[in-house]
Amino acid sequence: MFCRCGMVDTFYAHIEFKTLTGNWSVNLPFLCSKCGLCCTLDDFLTAGKLKINPQNPQAHLKAQMLYEELGNRWKTNPLEYEHYITNTPCPFLVDKTCSIYQIRPEGCCQFPNTLFGMQTQNCEALTRFKKQLYTLRRGQTTQETYPSTKHPLISVQHTKKQYQHCITKLQKTGITPDELNLFCDLNKNKQTLT
């Protein structure tokens, strides 16, 4: 999910801490567990088109067939079409898992940074992310931004002590090893404060 060239393919929060002695910042990643819950929350057509990937022609064929079927539904009965797209989970959801995760549309990549995303209930990964965010902000004056995916990573500024303080707080939230590794990766490209 993290590219060493400074691009990130995950949703994350850039947290700026405002203190009397100066400002500092970290990036907190959201690590999707691929549970498929978000695939059932909204009209799957709003996610956008699949990413082109010659290694997965079956997904593109399935998408083309789906678009043709939906076009026919629209022509035949617009009300049935509307009911179908708003009450049917994403057709690429297989056994509660995204079957096209590597080529999923941009709208899916941006979850939970969507209209319905942060209000989502029962997503364990999102619940952990919110708990981690709350833990890092607690008792601090902060400002958060939520960059879109596939954009240059916002650089961070912190001292070793501030960085270690964040890791200690996150460990108390039950952060998974993968989440902690991603947190460390997102915060390595830093300017160390004095």
Side-chain angles (χ1 to χ4, degrees), residues 75-116:
K75 289 176 190 173
T76 307
N77 186 340
L79 292 175
E80 181 186 319
Y81 165 85
E82 193 67 34
H83 181 268
Y84 179 82
I85 64 170
T86 56
N87 293 295
T88 304
C90 176
F92 294 101
L93 185 63
V94 178
D95 297 326
K96 297 184 179 181
T97 303
C98 178
S99 65
I100 58 165
Y101 189 80
Q102 296 303 320
I103 60 168
R104 68 198 187 283
E106 185 63 24
C108 299
C109 293
Q110 291 180 12
F111 182 83
N113 193 21
T114 61
L115 293 175
F116 59 88

Side-chain angles (χ1 to χ4, degrees), residues 50 56-68 92:
L50 298 179
N56 197 340
Q58 296 89 0
H60 290 284
L61 180 60
K62 184 176 180 177
Q64 187 60 38
M65 290 171 42
L66 175 66
Y67 295 142
E68 288 175 19
F92 294 101

Side-chain angles (χ1 to χ4, degrees), residues 25 40 47 57 64 69 111 118 166 171 173-174:
S25 63
T40 65
Q64 187 60 38
E69 176 192 342
F111 182 83
M118 290 301 270
C166 287
Q171 287 172 329
T173 68

